[in-house]
Amino acid sequence: NSTFGYAWPLLVGNAELKPETADTWTAGFVVSSPFESPALSSLKLSVDWFDIKVKDAIAPLTVAAALQLCLDPQFNPLVLTDATAAANTAYCQNIQRNQTGQQGTVYNTYTNSGRFNVEGIDAQLDWGMDVGPGRVGVNILANYLLHYKSAALSSLPEVDYAGTFGTTENGLNSGAYRYKLFTTLNYTIGKLQLGLQWEHLPAVEDSTEATTATTATVA
């Protein structure tokens, strides 16, 4: 039965790390306005697709991954046949117990156990024209995530966190928004510039939505 508890992770070094390896693909195009009118002559659009796959990712093991390496028969078959021997394995020795047998300190270290795949599209739109004594300009940056897949252990299937709060495993940043917009509006007169910037982030699902059918939208 599932119970609630605390874990006290303690991060330690690892002299056996090896370099990460990655396959990175990008493709894109830039379109400049074919028009000569003042309102459209400076219009420019650039679009780039990217696909980054990292193997042997360097990152601290999560507490969940550390527990799985000890308790999951897939990684520690001894748990099915010899509990004492299983408890003496290196991964289980990293999980300390307090006086009552509850989980205490979990020793984590940097490993090359994970992998991830981030794929998406970046776009930039620029526009400007002379208005009155100065010039008005608009810059719009957009990012759309196609995939934000990650697996903490090499034998686990990747989970796609795109559109959720995301994950920090494998050194990734949380907040896997399906899309993001960053807009800049400015007006320039000589050396004086007045600008306004704002960012739009859409609603996201809880990270557990990536692995369960339960919907929990967060605005």
Side-chain angles (χ1 to χ4, degrees), residues 4-199:
F4 178 78
Y6 291 96
W8 306 98
L10 181 62
L11 186 61
V12 296
N14 182 0
E16 303 300 322
L17 289 175
K18 59 183 180 179
E20 295 178 337
T21 57
D23 294 322
T24 301
W25 296 89
T26 60
F29 62 85
V30 178
V31 178
S32 297
S33 174
F35 306 105
E36 298 182 358
S37 66
L40 297 175
S41 61
S42 63
L43 191 64
K44 182 181 291 186
L45 172 67
S46 65
V47 178
D48 293 280
W49 164 82
F50 60 89
D51 184 19
I52 304 170
K53 295 180 180 179
V54 175
K55 297 176 290 185
D56 304 319
I58 297 175
L61 279 176
T62 63
V63 171
L67 291 172
Q68 189 168 6
L69 287 171
C70 170
L71 302 173
D72 190 335
Q74 178 182 351
F75 303 101
N76 190 1
L78 290 172
V79 299
L80 298 177
T81 58
D82 191 335
T84 301
N88 288 326
T89 59
Y91 288 121
C92 288
Q93 288 296 304
N94 288 333
I95 303 170
Q96 302 296 306
R97 302 286 177 175
N98 60 25
Q99 294 86 342
T100 62
Q102 297 297 312
Q103 180 177 291
T105 301
V106 177
Y107 290 94
N108 284 347
T109 186
Y110 289 90
T111 71
N112 292 108
S113 300
R115 68 189 190 280
F116 62 87
N117 173 209
V118 180
E119 181 184 4
I121 297 173
D122 288 329
Q124 177 173 326
L125 179 66
D126 292 290
W127 172 84
M129 68 173 294
D130 294 332
V131 177
R135 184 173 180 82
V136 63
V138 176
N139 171 265
I140 301 174
L141 300 174
N143 168 265
Y144 185 84
L145 271 183
L146 297 171
H147 298 292
Y148 201 80
K149 298 178 180 179
S150 177
L153 300 173
S154 58
S155 59
L156 296 178
E158 290 182 331
V159 175
D160 195 344
Y161 290 95
T164 74
F165 270 132
T167 179
T168 57
E169 68 184 20
N170 293 320
L172 293 171
N173 294 323
S174 58
Y177 298 95
R178 179 63 72 176
Y179 69 90
K180 294 184 286 187
L181 295 173
F182 188 80
T183 305
T184 301
L185 172 65
N186 58 65
Y187 187 73
T188 304
I189 303 176
K191 295 182 178 181
L192 177 64
Q193 184 180 82
L194 178 65
L196 176 65
Q197 294 181 328
W198 66 94
E199 183 178 32

